[in-house]
Amino acid sequence: MAKKISVSRADKFAFGVWCVMNRGRDPFGPETRPALSGIEAIRGLGERGVYGFEYHDDDLWPLGAGPAQKRKAIARARQAMKATGIRCTAATTNLFSHPVFKDGAFTSHDARVRAYAVQKAMANIDVAAELGAEVYIFWGGREGTDVDIGKDPIEALKRFRECLNFLCEHVLAQRHPMVFSIEPKPNEPRSDTYLATAGHALALIATLDHPDMVGVNPEWAHIKMAGLNPLHEFAQVLEAGKLVDIHLNAQKPLRYDQDMSFGADNPKEALLVVKLLTDYAYSGAKTFDAHPFRTEADPWDFVERCMRAYKALELKVDQVNSDARLLAMLEELVGADPDGWDAVLASYSKRNAGKLRGAKFNPDKLAQRRLRYEQIDQRLTEILLGVE
Ligand code: GLT
Ligand code: MN
């Protein structure tokens, strides 16, 4: 009998408030849904048993709000959190909407724009700490180029690094219990964005003053936009010990940013990402960063759908991880190691190097080993489709 899906706070699902505030506007047409304020978004998510939310400063108070207006918004957010039990899992700065950021924020040529961007981030980092956010995200929305001769990419990376270093020092000085997270994206709204993939972000992090304070939150759609493999991107970050948050959604490859509901594009790939997060006990929030189709009247079916899709895939992961036929074939794939080469390759020593140098291999014979990938993939497909 099919198992029932039930979502609880223990699942640690989270949403960007901007996802449910999204009103269906696209480059070809205006809004199709009524406005929902940031506070209403937090409350609506909390009432539906969602564990956490992420927000941008501009989602909760308008740009240029005075201290009193800002305090009021923060107090209302706290009220909504208290009333519904939802937490603030992560926060970020809107460094992309206002025209001042039209040519980038941290990578702008104009030092005054960079300073304004850092000031804006600094101010919201303090609010985020007050709301209990343990992760602070940097998505370089406008950090990129349309005209490459106009911006030296070396200089741009240097400026990005400087701003992150400055903000890390701020977090340390304020003693906020918070880590940063870089969110890679290859393009849109710029033709080409800096820090396009997880690998780019990890490489920059290694050059920061406080690399331990900075992780990565890969986003499914951004990875597919780059034509890359979500499982491999998530795994690269996880293996580096840098997976501090995740942005789940769906996206057809190599297209405009679609931000569809999680599971809407490629269930097999989604299953393998859920399996990775399950098998390696990812313990952060599972955050959905997507938006309802423009045809939806309100965001709530979308919210439920994302969480149900994850839970449904989790059930499939249980089946995959206990399917005797599949497990046997996977084991066969790894094969035996009768000569102990695993141990030799694990560490270099004179002895191991000598053993390797003197060994006799028969590549033609090794090449004959049967690898049942067709059957393995078919078994996975059948589990996914629910057939025996
Ligand atoms: C924006 C973008 C997302 C980022 C958000 C954080 S905002 O909606 O599409 O992928 O995560 O700034
Ligand atoms: Mn995102």
Side-chain angles (χ1 to χ4, degrees):
M1 221 184 64
K3 289 210 179 114
K4 262 195 112 148
I5 292 172
S6 72
V7 171
S8 81
R9 289 205 207 276
D11 292 310
K12 287 188 108 176
F13 290 135
F15 284 82
V17 293
W18 61 88
C19 303
V20 289
M21 292 165 77
N22 177 288
R23 298 182 60 193
R25 188 161 54 105
D26 70 17
F28 304 94
E31 288 80 359
T32 57
R33 284 185 286 276
L36 196 71
S37 71
I39 307 295
E40 286 168 327
I42 295 172
R43 199 171 277 277
L45 289 168
E47 282 166 354
R48 284 163 181 84
V50 176
Y51 174 82
F53 70 91
E54 300 186 351
Y55 77 96
H56 300 91
D57 45 1
D58 300 0
D59 299 333
L60 296 193
W61 56 85
L63 190 67
Q69 195 180 1
K70 211 169 137 178
R71 287 312 323 166
K72 207 169 149 196
I74 298 164
R76 292 182 65 208
R78 295 182 79 128
Q79 263 167 25
M81 290 164 70
K82 205 166 163 222
T84 64
I86 194 169
R87 300 170 188 221
C88 176
T89 46
T92 182
T93 331
N94 185 324
L95 297 175
F96 45 89
S97 292
H98 192 282
V100 69
F101 302 125
K102 65 187 176 189
D103 194 24
F106 295 167
T107 61
S108 168
H109 285 300
D110 191 331
R112 292 165 301 179
V113 173
R114 297 202 301 278
Y116 174 57
V118 172
Q119 182 202 53
K120 196 170 187 287
M122 234 162 77
N124 193 38
I125 283 171
D126 294 343
V127 176
E130 197 183 322
L131 293 178
E134 287 169 359
V135 176
Y136 201 89
I137 294 173
F138 294 90
W139 170 60
R142 304 259 174 206
E143 315 289 8
T145 54
D146 304 303
V147 176
D148 271 329
I149 194 160
K151 203 174 275 181
D152 178 346
I154 302 279
E155 197 59 29
L157 287 171
K158 202 178 117 214
R159 288 171 175 160
F160 214 134
R161 178 185 303 117
E162 273 175 9
C163 292
L164 287 175
N165 281 339
F166 194 100
L167 289 166
C168 278
E169 295 297 347
H170 171 71
V171 166
L172 289 171
Q174 299 300 310
R175 298 175 186 273
H176 293 323
M178 176 185 277
V179 295
F180 286 171
S181 182
I182 296 177
E183 179 174 339
K185 187 175 183 185
N187 58 275
E188 202 182 327
R190 304 312 296 268
S191 304
D192 292 285
T193 314
Y194 302 122
L195 309 184
T197 69
H200 293 79
L202 290 171
L204 183 82
I205 290 170
T207 69
L208 295 174
D209 290 347
H210 299 285
D212 292 349
M213 286 177 67
V214 186
V216 178
N217 62 299
E219 172 166 323
W220 182 284
H222 299 175
I223 297 165
K224 299 294 281 187
M225 286 173 74
L228 296 175
N229 179 328
L231 175 66
H232 292 192
E233 290 275 296
F234 277 65
Q236 185 88 45
V237 179
L238 187 65
E239 208 267 341
K242 292 288 186 192
L243 196 66
V244 295
D245 189 23
I246 54 177
H247 278 183
L248 299 172
N249 51 14
Q251 167 79 32
K252 295 189 181 178
L254 303 172
R255 299 190 189 185
Y256 68 94
D257 193 355
Q258 297 175 309
D259 275 343
M260 294 185 290
S261 304
F262 182 57
D265 59 344
N266 188 327
K268 197 189 279 180
E269 285 185 351
L271 168 75
L272 291 175
V273 166
V274 174
K275 177 167 153 54
L276 176 86
L277 299 172
T278 308
D279 292 351
Y280 288 93
Y282 166 73
S283 62
K286 293 157 197 139
T287 309
F288 300 102
D289 180 10
H291 56 71
F293 294 127
R294 191 164 183 263
T295 40
E296 292 298 294
D298 68 50
W300 305 117
D301 285 349
F302 149 83
V303 164
E304 199 185 334
R305 175 188 178 182
C306 286
M307 297 192 289
R308 285 182 63 84
Y310 193 99
K311 293 294 288 183
L313 289 166
E314 252 181 3
L315 290 176
K316 289 292 168 186
V317 168
D318 285 348
Q319 274 183 44
V320 167
N321 284 347
S322 59
D323 186 81
R325 261 195 289 163
L326 182 60
L327 294 181
M329 287 192 285
L330 290 173
E331 212 177 294
E332 183 193 63
L333 210 51
V334 176
D337 178 24
D339 306 319
W341 288 117
D342 260 340
V344 170
L345 294 173
S347 66
Y348 179 88
S349 66
K350 270 198 164 158
R351 197 162 163 266
N352 281 347
K355 193 171 170 195
L356 190 52
R357 203 175 268 125
K360 287 242 177 310
F361 293 100
N362 184 343
D364 292 335
K365 188 153 174 262
L366 288 177
Q368 280 165 15
R369 201 154 74 84
R370 187 170 178 190
L371 304 173
R372 296 176 203 265
Y373 281 115
E374 293 288 4
Q375 277 192 48
I376 288 169
D377 192 40
Q378 181 59 17
R379 184 64 202 136
L380 181 64
T381 304
E382 287 175 6
I383 294 173
L384 196 55
L385 295 177
V387 292
E388 268 313 308

